[in-house]
Amino acid sequence: MKQTKTKTLCLLLAALMLLSSLTACGKDKEKDSNLIQLGDYELLYKGACIMEDSDGNDAIVLSLDFTNNSKENASYLWSVDETIMQNGTELEVATVYTDYDTFTTVIENQFEEVAPGATLEVQTAFVLNNASGEIEATFEELLGSKSGTITIDPSTLTRETGVNAGTEPTLPSTTADDALLEWWNGEWYGWWKMTDCSGSYESMEGQWWDICGVIEIDADRTGTVTLWDEDYTKDDAMVSAAVSLSDTGTGEHGTLTSEGGWFTDVALAHADWIVDPGLQELADIICIDGRYENGDDTYRYEIYLRPWGLYWDDVEEENRPYLYADWYLPLIDAGKSMPDSIGADAPAGSGNMGTTTSNPGGETSGGDGIVTEEQVQKGYVWMNEVNKNIFDATYDDIAAYFGVKGRFVKEEYSDHMKANYRYYKWISEDDESHFIYVNFKETVSGVYTVSGFNTSGFSGKEAIARYLDTVKAEAAEAN
């Protein structure tokens, strides 16, 4: 009898220990499901709530502990890439204010530097499509391959309000804010460069051009960036971006972030650009770093800009814009404001600025360049995907393909490239903002071949998806 009781007691203790072990494992598993390892960084999901964004929409706000296990300071913004999906649709980033007086938002801590071994709570916010659809939040290393996903049911979340919710925002008018806007707003000049080129841009690896721009940011910290290089003008810009400005950054000038717009023929999205002047070694300089992707055509671009009128004496000559000495210096020495095109308004005797020359190598006559919208889009597909010898094609070849002469834009001698160039457009009759812009380089006397091309106003990726098979069939039939 005594032995039976002992056995029974042992079995009960074993069962209790097993149950305790199972319970403990369950708790650890639940805890680990909220812990994401991203190489040198660690994220712990702490919870979420629903708040109202600046447009009155419901937004989900996630709270996370960001731990920096690397050997250098790091911020969440520059370490983690986030994608939030609901019902198969990627959610848009939300602006959720916690203080309207200072325009502080819930994401402010994302900019803060975290020391090695330290942890900082950060928040991120996205506009909800609905209040019940399951949400999948995926977090990835910005410069790595590690990732992790958490699932959230928004119907279980509580609703919270900002610090001074229910009040109308008042525009800040502090001296610091005025100084911040004054630093960013105005005319800028510099250069930009293409690297890691592939597809139809492969031959342009390492090429660089002078660039001008205008930044206009309003008191609500939103505005635009307009940029044009030697092949564009202010009215026919290379880049038109919507941006927002935060006073949080590694330096006194805050951080500029893209919110939308266009870089040549591809759309810009939130945070494609994150421009923090505090990261640059030189004063009064910004770097816009991004990647162009359109089908197989890709390249990385770096744009360096300084305020118009600033002397670049702190930069070695080989690192200054190409037209700095011949065009820029004579203009600023003469007290001139920035022209609407590069090379224009050069003072007499300032040298060869790449401006239009008188008839360098033959006639420059063209037509009106007007074709159908379908012809414009098919033309891009033909040049980009089907004609494998596009950079051997002459102006006459391109005009023959479209069935009409292109609209002549300009002609110039590039001292930088030591060659004559001509520029033409083929334009949609339905919408003049939709066109193909083709650069031709004089390869032998009087013969101009394609040296580059780009689109404006329509998506090259969508054109390829729509017309590739048709254009291939038409090319095969023509051959």
Side-chain angles (χ1 to χ4, degrees):
M1 184 70 176
K2 183 177 180 182
Q3 188 177 13
T4 303
K5 285 182 178 179
T6 302
K7 287 182 178 179
T8 302
L9 181 59
C10 288
L11 288 171
L12 287 171
L13 288 171
L16 286 171
M17 291 176 66
L18 178 61
L19 179 61
S20 175
S21 175
L22 288 172
T23 304
C25 289
K27 287 181 179 178
D28 288 345
K29 184 177 180 182
E30 182 181 356
K31 181 180 179 181
D32 288 344
S33 68
N34 294 332
L35 189 65
I36 299 174
Q37 299 289 346
L38 301 177
D40 290 334
Y41 312 109
E42 182 179 282
L43 291 180
L44 176 63
Y45 169 65
K46 301 171 68 176
C49 65
I50 296 176
M51 299 179 71
E52 187 176 290
D53 75 357
S54 59
D55 294 322
N57 302 310
D58 281 346
I60 183 171
V61 179
L62 285 68
S63 297
L64 309 131
D65 274 346
F66 170 69
T67 301
N68 177 18
N69 293 321
S70 71
K71 296 179 181 180
E72 299 178 350
N73 288 352
S75 67
Y76 176 89
L77 185 69
W78 288 100
S79 306
V80 179
D81 187 28
E82 50 193 24
T83 304
I84 313 298
M85 305 291 292
Q86 185 179 37
N87 299 328
T89 301
E90 185 174 348
L91 300 185
E92 295 181 1
V93 174
T95 300
V96 178
Y97 290 114
T98 57
D99 191 328
Y100 279 132
D101 293 332
T102 60
F103 281 81
T104 303
T105 69
V106 295
I107 70 164
E108 290 299 308
N109 279 3
Q110 292 188 20
F111 297 88
E112 189 170 331
E113 292 280 328
V114 180
T119 298
L120 175 71
E121 181 179 277
V122 298
Q123 290 183 308
T124 188
F126 293 83
V127 181
L128 285 170
N129 286 338
N130 59 68
S132 59
E134 187 176 80
I135 289 172
E136 285 190 352
T138 301
F139 302 90
E140 303 174 82
E141 287 180 283
L142 193 62
L143 299 176
S145 58
K146 302 292 184 181
S147 65
T149 300
I150 58 174
T151 303
I152 305 168
D153 181 0
S155 66
T156 64
L157 302 180
T158 59
R159 181 177 292 274
E160 296 184 13
T161 58
V163 172
N164 39 357
T167 63
E168 289 296 322
T170 56
L171 299 181
S173 57
T174 64
T175 302
D177 190 71
D178 291 343
L180 184 65
L181 295 180
E182 183 178 352
W183 189 86
W184 285 94
N185 283 335
E187 300 172 336
W188 295 76
Y189 168 72
W191 57 272
W192 79 284
K193 182 178 181 180
M194 294 169 59
T195 55
D196 298 334
C197 301
S198 64
S200 62
Y201 293 101
E202 188 172 356
S203 63
M204 303 177 78
E205 176 70 28
Q207 292 191 23
W208 55 286
W209 299 265
D210 286 36
I211 192 168
C212 288
V214 175
I215 299 178
E216 299 174 298
I217 301 174
D218 297 327
D220 65 354
R221 304 289 187 88
T222 65
T224 59
V225 174
T226 305
L227 303 173
W228 60 96
D229 71 0
E230 301 166 43
D231 295 333
Y232 292 84
T233 66
K234 182 178 181 180
D235 293 333
D236 181 20
M238 182 178 81
V239 180
S240 180
V243 296
S244 62
L245 177 63
S246 168
D247 56 9
T248 304
T250 59
E252 60 180 314
H253 303 307
T255 301
L256 191 76
T257 304
S258 65
E259 302 295 347
W262 292 87
F263 179 93
T264 65
D265 62 336
V266 297
L268 290 170
H270 170 76
D272 281 350
W273 293 355
I274 301 174
V275 186
D276 185 349
L279 297 173
Q280 303 304 311
E281 294 182 5
L282 297 175
D284 295 317
I285 190 168
I286 60 176
C287 175
I288 301 173
D289 188 351
R291 186 155 186 84
Y292 173 98
E293 294 186 8
N294 191 343
D296 294 331
D297 299 335
T298 65
Y299 57 83
R300 180 191 172 200
Y301 58 86
E302 292 176 88
I303 304 170
Y304 291 92
L305 297 166
R306 306 190 83 174
W308 178 270
L310 184 73
Y311 290 96
W312 293 46
D313 296 337
D314 53 347
V315 178
E316 297 292 332
E317 286 189 21
E318 61 267 23
N319 294 324
R320 296 172 185 170
Y322 185 75
L323 300 177
Y324 174 81
D326 290 334
W327 176 67
Y328 175 74
L329 277 184
L331 283 176
I332 65 171
D333 286 343
K336 300 284 188 179
S337 59
M338 186 175 67
D340 290 348
S341 63
I342 294 175
D345 299 342
S350 58
N352 189 335
M353 268 60 69
T355 54
T356 301
T357 63
S358 58
N359 195 25
E363 294 297 323
T364 59
S365 60
D368 61 10
I370 300 298
V371 294
T372 67
E373 176 74 20
E374 182 176 312
Q375 282 180 288
V376 168
Q377 297 200 23
K378 280 185 175 180
Y380 170 76
V381 176
W382 176 71
M383 297 178 71
N384 196 65
E385 300 290 324
V386 178
N387 188 338
K388 301 304 181 183
N389 300 310
I390 190 62
F391 294 106
D392 295 326
T394 66
Y395 167 77
D396 290 337
D397 293 333
I398 304 301
Y401 174 82
F402 283 105
V404 64
K405 292 182 178 180
R407 180 180 297 180
F408 176 70
V409 178
K410 67 176 180 177
E411 170 181 40
E412 67 181 13
Y413 176 78
S414 172
D415 199 21
H416 175 36
M417 302 302 293
K418 306 300 181 185
N420 294 321
Y421 284 84
R422 291 177 181 169
Y423 305 87
Y424 292 85
K425 288 181 181 180
W426 279 267
I427 307 164
S428 168
E429 63 184 3
D430 299 326
D431 187 339
E432 284 209 351
S433 69
H434 292 195
F435 58 83
I436 295 179
Y437 192 91
V438 188
N439 307 350
F440 295 91
K441 177 183 178 181
E442 188 177 29
T443 50
V444 297
S445 180
V447 178
Y448 286 78
T449 56
V450 174
S451 63
F453 59 91
N454 54 53
T455 66
S456 175
F458 66 93
S459 167
K461 188 177 295 185
E462 291 179 4
I464 292 169
R466 184 180 299 116
Y467 292 117
L468 181 58
D469 291 341
T470 303
V471 174
K472 282 182 176 179
E474 290 174 351
E477 183 178 349
N479 288 338

